[in-house]
Amino acid sequence: MGLPLWSREDVAARILQGDVLFILNGNVIRVPQTWLEVHPGGVLSILHFVGRDATDEVEAYHSDETIRRMRGYIVATVNTLPDGWRPLQPPIHIGWLRTVKDGNLEWHSEATPDYSKENSPESPESQILLVKREDIAFTASGPSRDQIEPPPVPLSLKTQTEHSKAYKELHKRVKAAGLYDTPFFTGYGPEVVRYILCAIGSYLAYQRQWFFVSAVCLGALWHQLVFFVHDLGHLGVTHHWAKDRIVSIILADWIGGLSVGWWVHNHNIHHVVTNHPTHDPDIQHLPFFAISPAFFKSLYSSYYKRELTFDTFSRYMVAVQHRLFYVIMSLARFNLYRLSYEHLWVTRNDPIKARGGRWAWWLEVVGLVFWWYWYSNVVRGCGTWQKSLMFLLVSNMVPSPLHVQIVLSHFSRSTADLGPTESFPHRQMRTTTDVICHPSVAFLHGGLHLQVTHHLFPRLPRHNLLEASYLVKDFAKEQGLEYAEFGFVSGNGEVCSTLKGVADQLKIMDMVASAEIKEALGIKKD
């Protein structure tokens, strides 16, 4: 007997009953709770696509073998019509989750949707931000049917479907060109030589008590290894989860002191909800940065599960964020240590330890203990506290261009929420930009200056991104989509301009508020 044909109302009714459903090539995939809990990409990366056609995202982030396994969870088919599937609003986007209470799964309203545009007049009607609830509400009924109906969107479903179809053809061309094949010898061969030279340089300089040079070489090693770990985290090297994860743990945790489990969990969400103020952790940097006035509302983060409070300290920091940008970014690695340890602590009781397997969690913990042992001894071995402090700061500040380069690709791009109708390629190209550089210095960017292509094909080995980018540019031209790119210097200018623009808006708001207070108190203007 064939699969039943479900209408859009059938899908909506089952979502309201608690089913986690998404559309994959015209089929309805039902995600059981056991799958949701152990998904390597995390729970949220699935919940953001409930009620939506996730075909492009699924095929971009998963191997053919994994997609074949998903077919075992098909429960129905749907009629996508000529213009494509008309999406529903995922409950997570309006603050609803299903969590365990007293041993049972119940709907949980963790945040309140905010549809107002008072701080972001440029925001479209489709934009939904979340703000903190005064209380946590559990209910058997959950969201209403009206709530999971998306608000008006500024996009044409037909046009977005055409973008999606063209992207599928582009993906076929990328595969046919062999761009998923990892160039181990020509690609990673020179990279490994570079890693070894940095490590040897740091060791020899340390032995001669050239501690500054040693710290620079160690920082350079960490800087370069991050790019390799990034590839491994996307399964872009061996394309085998366990192999890539083991190597990435050795490099990130044992040598670099950072949790790759944290990075993968964080980075996956960044990729699926790029530049969304409420959902993307990679742009949630209060109290230090706000790249949109939307953050003035003290938004609720669906990733961190807390309010991003815009308090007095935040107001002060955001007002001067364009001046402190490089100072703060130079120390950004210290924040990554904090996030790493926090992630491992929070996930210590997960069913399979941070969705990577119990062995992976323990391998990370042992690796970080090992890192603390060797690195703390290296720092202390400098002799005086002044030299030790210098070594600590220099080794951690040298990789800072990496943090600057990462934000160049997103901070100056749109943070508007165009609703679930927006196609995968449209969203990625609207929120991401490339950094143009000469091939001779591409290694300093780790190949990730080609962020547009990387966001469209995250599992693609980065040494193949340049060749793939030519195909993407042709695709963008054919579809009338912007392929944004700028030089490193001009890109820095764009980011600083964005930060200054938000700071200026805050200044204007404060001036208006001050004038209104004076008027209310009857104080005459000077």
Side-chain angles (χ1 to χ4, degrees):
M1 187 172 66
L3 292 167
L5 177 65
W6 284 2
S7 67
R8 186 169 180 270
E9 286 303 314
D10 291 330
V11 174
R14 285 166 172 80
I15 290 173
L16 294 175
Q17 291 169 9
D19 282 353
V20 176
L21 307 173
F22 64 84
I23 311 302
L24 177 63
N25 287 316
N27 299 305
V28 181
I29 303 291
R30 180 182 179 276
V31 182
Q33 188 67 21
T34 51
W35 173 6
L36 198 63
E37 290 176 350
V38 301
H39 181 229
V43 173
L44 290 175
S45 58
I46 294 178
L47 295 184
H48 283 302
F49 291 96
V50 171
R52 300 169 62 182
D53 188 332
T55 303
D56 292 341
E57 287 84 355
V58 168
E59 292 183 346
Y61 298 120
H62 300 85
S63 66
D64 292 340
E65 179 186 354
T66 301
I67 294 172
R68 281 193 295 271
R69 271 187 259 157
M70 288 185 193
R71 297 188 62 83
Y73 296 90
I74 296 174
V75 293
T77 61
V78 293
N79 187 349
T80 56
L81 303 175
D83 291 347
W85 172 256
R86 192 155 60 91
L88 296 159
Q89 191 76 49
I92 185 70
H93 288 187
I94 51 175
W96 285 94
L97 282 171
R98 280 174 62 78
T99 54
V100 177
K101 182 186 180 187
D102 299 329
N104 298 311
L105 276 172
E106 289 190 20
W107 281 109
H108 162 212
S109 179
E110 65 172 359
T112 301
D114 180 2
Y115 300 89
S116 67
K117 308 294 181 288
E118 57 190 39
N119 287 334
S120 299
E122 75 280 2
S123 299
E125 291 300 313
S126 56
Q127 179 137 303
I128 302 175
L129 302 175
L130 297 179
V131 293
K132 184 179 178 181
R133 285 184 61 98
E134 292 303 320
D135 60 333
I136 297 177
F138 286 89
T139 174
S141 58
S144 67
R145 176 65 183 84
D146 289 342
Q147 286 179 302
I148 64 169
E149 192 62 46
V153 297
L155 301 173
S156 162
L157 178 59
K158 180 180 180 180
T159 301
Q160 295 304 306
T161 300
E162 290 173 353
H163 292 331
S164 179
K165 290 178 179 178
Y167 169 78
K168 290 178 176 63
E169 292 301 316
L170 171 64
H171 203 167
K172 290 178 182 178
R173 292 199 295 273
V174 168
K175 289 180 177 179
L179 297 179
Y180 274 98
D181 298 332
T182 304
F184 288 104
F185 182 73
T186 59
Y188 285 107
E191 301 279 351
V192 172
V193 171
R194 195 175 297 121
Y195 306 153
I196 293 173
L197 289 176
C198 287
I200 292 176
S202 181
Y203 174 78
L204 292 179
Y206 192 88
Q207 292 301 310
R208 288 163 175 74
Q209 297 188 3
W210 300 344
F211 297 123
F212 180 83
V213 176
S214 177
V216 169
C217 290
L218 178 59
L221 173 63
W222 286 345
H223 175 266
Q224 289 294 297
L225 285 179
V226 164
F227 300 124
F228 194 7
V229 172
H230 176 272
D231 301 345
L232 293 160
H234 277 295
L235 308 186
V237 181
T238 71
H239 307 296
H240 183 276
W241 188 89
K243 293 177 182 177
D244 280 355
R245 181 52 62 92
I246 289 172
V247 176
S248 65
I249 290 175
I250 292 172
L251 298 180
D253 297 73
W254 293 64
I255 298 178
L258 301 175
S259 164
V260 71
W262 158 75
W263 177 83
V264 169
H265 189 264
N266 176 286
H267 197 66
N268 283 338
I269 303 304
H270 160 68
H271 267 268
V272 299
V273 285
T274 310
N275 268 22
H276 193 296
T278 286
H279 304 300
D280 182 3
D282 272 16
I283 65 168
Q284 296 175 342
H285 298 302
L286 281 181
F288 299 106
F289 300 126
I291 66 170
S292 166
F295 287 102
F296 300 166
K297 295 184 176 185
S298 292
L299 298 180
Y300 179 84
S301 168
S302 64
Y303 179 82
Y304 291 113
K305 303 301 178 190
R306 61 177 173 81
E307 182 183 63
L308 305 171
T309 307
F310 192 68
D311 53 17
T312 302
F313 182 65
S314 298
R315 297 181 80 89
Y316 173 77
M317 295 302 296
V318 170
V320 294
Q321 60 181 356
H322 50 294
R323 297 192 181 98
L324 296 179
F325 174 64
Y326 294 107
V327 175
I328 294 173
M329 296 306 286
S330 70
L331 302 172
R333 190 175 178 90
F334 291 104
N335 186 51
L336 302 189
Y337 294 133
R338 178 188 68 83
L339 292 170
S340 294
Y341 309 147
E342 184 179 272
H343 173 76
L344 290 172
W345 174 257
V346 169
T347 57
R348 68 193 184 283
N349 294 321
D350 271 17
I352 59 164
K353 299 290 188 186
R355 301 170 185 85
R358 187 176 296 273
W359 63 267
W361 188 90
W362 280 110
L363 187 60
E364 285 206 74
V365 171
V366 172
L368 291 179
V369 171
F370 173 78
W371 179 84
W372 267 104
Y373 172 77
W374 75 258
Y375 183 63
S376 62
N377 277 300
V378 166
V379 172
R380 287 199 303 269
C382 292
T384 66
W385 71 265
Q386 294 94 336
K387 291 179 180 178
S388 294
L389 179 61
M390 179 275 297
F391 191 97
L392 174 70
L393 291 176
V394 171
S395 60
N396 282 280
M397 292 173 71
V398 166
S400 63
L402 162 70
H403 309 297
V404 174
Q405 187 241 319
I406 290 173
V407 304
L408 289 187
S409 298
H410 299 291
F411 269 26
S412 63
R413 301 296 286 165
S414 171
T415 59
D417 173 14
L418 300 187
T421 297
E422 186 175 24
S423 66
F424 172 65
H426 189 278
R427 182 173 63 256
Q428 298 303 337
M429 300 189 79
R430 176 176 62 85
T431 58
T432 309
T433 184
D434 280 359
V435 178
I436 302 170
C437 74
H438 192 274
S440 63
V441 295
F443 74 94
L444 294 175
H445 298 275
L448 296 180
H449 54 293
L450 299 166
Q451 278 287 299
V452 174
T453 303
H454 169 62
H455 266 251
L456 290 174
F457 304 104
R459 292 184 299 112
L460 211 63
R462 64 180 156 96
H463 301 96
N464 297 336
L465 288 175
L466 180 59
E467 186 176 349
S469 70
Y470 301 136
L471 299 176
V472 174
K473 287 182 178 180
D474 289 340
F475 160 79
K477 187 175 181 179
E478 292 167 1
Q479 294 297 307
L481 296 172
E482 178 191 14
Y483 189 110
E485 54 184 354
F486 43 49
F488 186 79
V489 174
S490 59
N492 275 267
E494 290 283 341
V495 169
C496 290
S497 177
T498 297
L499 295 174
K500 184 177 186 303
V502 174
D504 288 344
Q505 290 186 60
L506 176 61
K507 182 179 179 180
I508 292 171
M509 284 176 54
D510 287 343
M511 291 171 62
V512 171
S514 178
E516 290 177 346
I517 292 173
K518 289 181 179 180
E519 182 179 354
L521 295 175
I523 300 174
K524 293 182 180 181
K525 297 181 180 180
D526 295 334

